[in-house]
Amino acid sequence: MSSLLKQLQESGQAPWLDFVDRTFLKEGGLRKLVEEDGLTGVTSNPSIFEKAMGQGTAYDDQYKAFVTANPGASVVETYEALAVKDIQDACDTLRPVFDRLDGKDGYVSLEVSPYLANDTDKTIAEARRLSKMVDRPNLMIKVPGTKAGVPAIRQLIEDGISINVTLLFAREAYIAVAMAFVEGLEARLAKGETIDRIASVASFFVSRIDSAIDKKIDERVAAGDKDADALKAVRGKVAIANAKLAYQWYLDFVKSDRWKKLAAEGAMPQRLLWASTGTKDPSFPDTLYIDALIGPDTVNTIPPKTMDAFRDHGTLKQTLTADVPGAEHVLAETDRLGLDLPGVTAKLVEDGVKLFADAADTLLGAIEAKKAKAEA
């Protein structure tokens, strides 16, 4: 019997791995997941690279070789050389998937610097540069879905660069980047250029929403709030409801005449990707954010521990379109109870940018120390 993860992929949802590491790649860990579990993608971010590069000895040989060959190279240049090598190796491992699926999947994501999250022009320049450095057709550049990120996404899609839009929490923000994707395709088409090999995913974060909302709920319940029962009734349900309604918007949009014109030219839809799918609250099932968000033409990027849990005891069922009225009720209650989902999601974007910038600070500090050691 095939792995549950492979069955997930066969059911229409692509399992991606939210992890990359030099040792894991060298030892064939990624290849094994592709072959045995039907894995079709990989995501990385500064936090992941900080754990991979800042600790252990897996990168030491390349540190030494790079600083010897490039005396005077900056810490950022050193980091990029290391990161690009991992991303290229991961892209090469997934290239057979990319070829077999005719470019519909098989992607590896590399993030632009989190320090540029609020600068449109620098984000565009950085994405173009990283795309050339990696030089693989199955690379996706990750761009945050901030206000500055939206016009950058539109331009990069027009350039023909595949984009993973990250740090989406609010449905309104998702719709803005979906429109940027469409406008980029339309601009490209207007210039007579092809649009059939440009892929994009919109990374919608889930568990962080519940963590923030549930903290508010717990504080109010503990204080004896008069709406305690109603508050408890939506605890742990807001993120999933939010994601379900985002998917409903997607289903409606791909039926529109505007999208059909692009699809007729070979355009691939921008898939919703569920991110931050490791369960933070130990009282919830450890596979909650996979089990509850399974639906066609979507992606779930899964941390290794959660992937192991789903393979072992996940529940495979088409859940993303189940009980949409229930999801609408949860969000109506969230609003009625004054839990301020828009305020929470806006803060989560700010916090997310800061978390990645802090991870980048730590990462570059660790690389500086290793670089100094290699130069000694």
Side-chain angles (χ1 to χ4, degrees), residues 2 10 60 78 82 103 106 123 132 140 162 240 246 254 275 304 336 343:
S2 66
E10 289 161 358
D60 286 4
T78 307
L82 301 171
T123 293
K132 282 180 184 165
M140 271 189 180
S162 292
I240 290 165
V254 292
R336 182 183 72 81

Side-chain angles (χ1 to χ4, degrees), residues 86-122:
D86 281 357
I87 296 297
Q88 286 174 329
D89 288 348
C91 282
D92 293 344
T93 301
L94 280 158
R95 183 63 188 269
V97 175
F98 175 82
D99 291 340
R100 174 171 55 82
L101 298 176
D102 198 25
K104 291 179 177 64
D105 214 333
Y107 289 90
V108 180
S109 297
L110 175 64
E111 190 143 356
V112 295
S113 167
Y115 306 130
L116 307 179
N118 296 308
D119 190 314
T120 301
D121 291 342
K122 286 183 180 176

